[in-house]
Amino acid sequence: MKKTLLVSNPEIEKEKFDLAIQYLKDGGVVVFPTETVYGLGANAFDEKAVRKVFEIKGRPPDNPLIVHLYSIDMIEDVARELSPTARLLFERFSPGPLTVILPKSRNISGIVTGGLDTVAVRIPSHKIAREILGAFKLPIAAPSANISGRPSPTTFEMAVSEMNGRVDAIINGGDCIVGLESTVVKIEGEELQILRPGGISEEEIKKVLPEGFKVISATGIKSKRAESPGMKYTHYKPEADVILCEKEKIEKAISNFKGRRLGLILYRAEINPEGSEVIRFDSLEAYARGLYKSFYEMDKKGVEIIIAEKVEEKGIGKAIMNRLLKAGGEKR
Ligand code: TXA
Ligand code: MG
């Protein structure tokens, strides 16, 4: 067990906040908030520090990390090329929940990129993340701050529960407003592949692309090679088993699992079951924001089976369904 510095109020506890940034400078690992999920950050130029991130997460070395930057100007420090379309996407959606895969520059170690010749780049919008990046001045390599395979933390409490005693510091930034990870895209010629659906929807991306551009969504990618390396690993699984269910079939599912400790994540279903833990969301945005937190709350209550209502795969709904499917072991 390591002594972890908890910065519960970075706006007021300036000394603690500065100390956490000093830990980053000294090659430490610091959990910090972003608008999507909490990240497990280290100096992207420090191989030793980056190795610690893989170790702490228990992450396979061939699953690359995202490099977080303060601004578009810093992209040239980590990538050898920024195509006009990639630039357009950054200009339109950054700072924000979008990650673009670019050809990596020599500055970035293969440890960060899992041996690939490309680097994932993102400019987060969270106020505290920006303060950290602004003060640190270097790129921060950061995966989500969960142990490999588990749901990502989206609140300070979740981040502390997951990482206290494993990292040098954890910085509070409140509840993440997006709640699901960034959208990861890769551009090849006149084709944009969505490797992971996330905070920016496919519809939004399509609107800004030059005419003639083709968008290939995550599920439409045939070749395994094209996928994000991370997509082949188990993901987002709480302690409880997750079962996806259409609104009409939820009551039937509840009766099938009679006698088990059930948790229900509801969206459109107008049912009022007794004896189960119920979390209800009234919009897709709220569902996305609260999904991992509801996994966490239900695990805390000892729920054995989570029945989660399916949503329409529109807008952020695509990312919600992607995470639910992965949490449920791809069983529809
Ligand atoms: O919202 C987010 O993106 C959060 C916050 C902390 O920024 N980060 C995050 O990182 O979700 P992580 O490591 O949990 O997921 C990164 C995903 C993985 O699926 C990884 O395989 C993929 O991005 N990725 C990273 N570098 C890549 C590359 N060069 N080519 C293709 N996929 C890459
Ligand atoms: Mg992750």
Side-chain angles (χ1 to χ4, degrees):
M1 265 289 269
K2 205 178 184 129
K3 174 98 185 84
T4 300
L5 171 75
L6 299 183
V7 190
S8 345
N9 199 337
E11 302 288 4
I12 292 169
E13 302 170 309
K14 277 289 162 220
E15 272 171 32
K16 282 194 185 176
F17 184 66
D18 291 347
L19 186 56
I21 290 164
Q22 190 57 45
Y23 287 158
L24 278 177
K25 291 183 180 159
D26 295 340
V29 177
V30 173
V31 172
F32 67 101
T34 82
E35 68 280 18
T36 56
V37 302
Y38 278 73
L40 183 64
N43 181 351
F45 290 149
D46 181 343
E47 274 194 5
K48 229 175 113 192
V50 172
R51 277 185 211 274
K52 284 190 212 162
V53 170
F54 280 89
E55 224 168 84
I56 292 167
K57 249 187 101 85
R59 181 160 179 144
D62 66 348
N63 190 5
L65 308 185
I66 295 173
V67 169
H68 297 70
L69 305 177
Y70 181 75
S71 63
I72 295 180
D73 311 337
M74 286 173 74
I75 295 175
E76 60 184 35
D77 300 338
V78 299
R80 36 171 215 283
E81 204 187 294
L82 181 63
S83 70
T85 311
R87 174 176 285 280
L88 180 79
L89 290 179
F90 277 116
E91 279 168 355
R92 173 63 184 78
F93 296 113
S94 286
L98 179 78
T99 297
V100 183
I101 308 295
L102 300 171
K104 89 169 186 70
S105 87
R106 248 179 297 164
N107 297 346
I108 288 290
S109 152
I111 307 286
V112 175
T113 67
L116 296 175
D117 193 35
T118 52
V119 59
V121 175
R122 154 159 146 77
I123 303 170
S125 64
H126 192 289
K127 184 167 175 281
I128 304 286
R130 295 194 59 68
E131 275 176 30
I132 296 166
L133 284 160
F136 185 53
K137 297 196 171 68
L138 294 174
I140 296 178
S144 48
N146 52 287
I147 302 293
S148 227
R150 293 184 28 80
S152 309
T154 52
T155 68
F156 184 58
E157 182 187 325
M158 289 168 77
V160 171
S161 149
E162 194 81 354
M163 288 295 165
N164 196 14
R166 299 175 192 266
V167 297
D168 295 290
I170 305 177
I171 301 174
N172 188 0
D175 294 6
C176 303
I177 53 160
V178 179
L180 297 178
E181 296 83 350
S182 63
T183 305
V184 180
V185 306
K186 187 172 184 178
I187 301 161
E188 265 168 5
E190 302 244 292
E191 222 174 72
L192 178 138
Q193 302 171 348
I194 298 187
L195 302 183
R196 177 178 73 182
I200 302 286
S201 70
E202 183 174 325
E203 293 87 338
E204 286 174 275
I205 290 173
K206 274 185 177 151
K207 264 190 232 154
V208 304
L209 285 176
E211 217 172 300
F213 244 82
K214 207 167 122 198
V215 173
I216 304 176
S217 52
T219 44
I221 298 170
K222 297 248 160 41
S223 112
K224 276 276 165 242
R225 185 192 52 78
E227 276 190 39
S228 229
M231 299 303 253
K232 68 174 185 266
Y233 296 106
T234 341
H235 258 106
Y236 320 116
K237 167 96 177 57
E239 301 293 326
D241 287 331
V242 178
I243 290 168
L244 276 68
C245 205
E246 268 124 29
K247 148 175 142 222
E248 297 79 14
K249 296 186 182 153
I250 295 177
E251 281 185 304
K252 176 85 186 12
I254 295 171
S255 64
N256 284 349
F257 292 112
K258 223 177 153 147
R260 308 290 296 276
R261 184 126 177 70
L262 290 187
L264 306 176
I265 300 179
L266 303 179
Y267 169 53
R268 290 271 163 83
E270 286 171 25
I271 52 172
N272 248 324
E274 274 169 36
S276 312
E277 292 299 330
V278 179
I279 294 177
R280 212 178 273 281
F281 297 117
D282 57 9
S283 68
L284 287 179
E285 283 67 31
Y287 203 142
R289 190 179 308 128
L291 179 62
Y292 294 148
K293 185 179 175 183
S294 57
F295 284 173
Y296 172 79
E297 298 293 344
M298 287 187 175
D299 275 348
K300 259 203 339 198
K301 290 185 169 135
V303 164
E304 294 171 83
I305 298 165
I306 297 172
I307 299 173
E309 184 175 336
K310 288 186 184 176
V311 300
E312 58 270 23
E313 293 193 45
K314 272 196 324 215
I316 189 86
K318 257 209 169 126
I320 297 171
M321 280 300 286
N322 173 273
R323 305 310 190 272
L324 282 175
L325 276 164
K326 297 216 170 257
E330 305 282 349
K331 291 189 288 280
R332 280 181 186 262

